[in-house]
Amino acid sequence: MLGRYLKNVRETAPLIHNITNYVTVNDCANILLACGASPVMADDQAEAEAITAICGGLTINIGTLNSRTIVSMLLAGKKAAQLGHPIVLDPVGAGASPLRTHTADELISQLPLAAVRGNISEIKALSGSSSLTHGVDANASDKVTDDNLWQHFTFARKLAKAWNTVIAISGETDIVADENKAFAIKNGSALMSKITGSGCMLSALTTAYVTAAKKTETSMLEAVAAAFCTMGIAGENAADRMGSLDGSASFRNYLLDAVFNMTEEELDTKAKYELVSYTDD
């Protein structure tokens, strides 16, 4: 089912505008190229709208937030909204500082978002739930487990309905939900937490998938789930390739290689997920 979303990206080759953080900007550009999309990075307010206008989708990542780029994010986001382009928000570190939390809240309230992609602590902080982030990482106490999975399904569903978006929570078990359905995804490798940028890359990848879904009139929810499975399977493949002298730098390169070499059949065959449909009101 999910392989067609990778096919959609490669056939439509969407151009994605990324206002992202300077720590991982190169990785985000490379993963977009690896999956078959194309990246543009422009965060100056003098050109944010113009660049957004020639692209098909927009990633907003607040990982290295500053007052200058907040203006650019809002300008680009409103232009994308005007043109009907999908927007994906990555609220990196939301809850860690008032500036990050306030900015993410402002973006959520002002822009029609296709997806909000973050770790569980970031999403909880934005929902008003009690949570503490560990820098830009999730707090261990917020971890999604088999025992609390349904609780997190319900949380994500309510938030998706309130924000009118897909809620995409990454972790050992990923949750991707709208107000009607939810995926629990269990692809991935522990090594993904040993490199900087795996979450940022996932957000950029998600934007490519939802932009292709918009062009092909396919499901936004399934497109986000397909992006998550693509990244998780790539992590597994990269880990399997590691040799005795390989470390985190090799893993990062192998991860990009795995996305580049991913096939539709592999995505369909290796995706590990549970899909839940809600029946109550």
Side-chain angles (χ1 to χ4, degrees):
M1 179 183 74
L2 299 180
R4 64 174 173 163
Y5 290 94
L6 175 58
K7 180 181 180 182
N8 288 345
V9 173
R10 289 177 174 161
E11 288 185 345
T12 61
L15 182 61
I16 306 300
H17 181 195
N18 303 270
I19 301 180
T20 188
N21 73 77
Y22 53 71
V23 176
T24 63
V25 62
N26 187 58
D27 292 326
C28 293
N30 278 320
I31 204 161
L32 286 169
L33 291 169
C35 76
S38 295
V40 176
M41 276 63 179
D43 64 7
D44 193 287
Q45 59 186 279
E47 67 169 355
E49 292 174 293
I51 294 298
T52 296
I54 64 171
C55 295
L58 172 65
T59 310
I60 298 177
N61 177 309
I62 68 169
T64 50
L65 195 62
N66 61 70
S67 299
R68 176 184 61 82
T69 56
I70 292 171
V71 176
S72 300
M73 289 171 181
L74 288 166
L75 287 171
K78 290 176 181 179
K79 174 58 72 173
Q82 177 188 336
L83 298 172
H85 296 172
I87 307 167
V88 173
L89 173 63
D90 186 341
V92 180
S97 75
L99 178 65
R100 287 176 188 256
T101 306
H102 173 75
T103 300
D105 284 338
E106 187 176 14
L107 291 165
I108 290 167
S109 66
Q110 293 197 34
L111 303 178
L113 301 172
V116 178
R117 202 294 311 165
N119 65 46
I120 183 61
S121 297
E122 291 162 348
I123 302 299
K124 278 190 172 182
L126 294 175
S127 74
S129 300
S130 177
S131 179
L132 291 174
T133 58
H134 182 65
V136 298
D137 299 318
N139 191 299
S141 64
D142 290 331
K143 184 178 179 180
V144 179
T145 66
D146 288 340
D147 291 337
N148 64 23
L149 185 58
W150 190 260
Q151 175 185 338
H152 284 95
F153 276 159
T154 303
F155 165 74
R157 178 201 185 188
K158 289 180 178 178
L159 209 55
K161 186 174 183 179
W163 292 351
N164 191 30
T165 189
V166 174
I167 299 298
I169 302 170
S170 55
E172 186 175 332
T173 297
D174 303 319
I175 294 176
V176 176
D178 63 15
E179 63 177 287
N180 299 309
K181 297 178 182 179
F183 285 82
I185 299 168
K186 296 197 174 184
N187 290 109
S189 165
L191 289 173
M192 297 172 81
S193 66
K194 300 301 182 182
I195 61 170
T196 298
S198 57
C200 299
M201 286 189 276
L202 176 55
S203 294
L205 192 70
T206 298
T207 309
Y209 275 64
V210 297
T211 302
K214 175 85 172 182
K215 289 184 178 181
T216 56
E217 299 182 346
T218 46
S219 167
M220 286 286 177
L221 177 69
E222 291 179 4
V224 177
F228 270 64
C229 289
T230 298
M231 191 70 172
I233 294 167
E236 293 167 1
N237 291 348
D240 289 343
R241 188 177 166 185
M242 295 282 281
S244 60
L245 296 179
D246 287 330
S248 57
S250 297
F251 179 78
R252 172 188 167 277
N253 288 335
Y254 295 158
L255 182 67
L256 289 168
D257 287 345
V259 173
F260 182 86
N261 290 310
M262 188 79 61
T263 66
E264 300 161 41
E265 294 76 17
E266 184 177 27
L267 181 50
D268 279 331
T269 301
K270 292 186 176 181
K272 302 171 188 172
Y273 62 85
E274 174 187 357
L275 175 61
V276 172
S277 296
Y278 297 102
T279 57
D280 63 303
D281 294 330

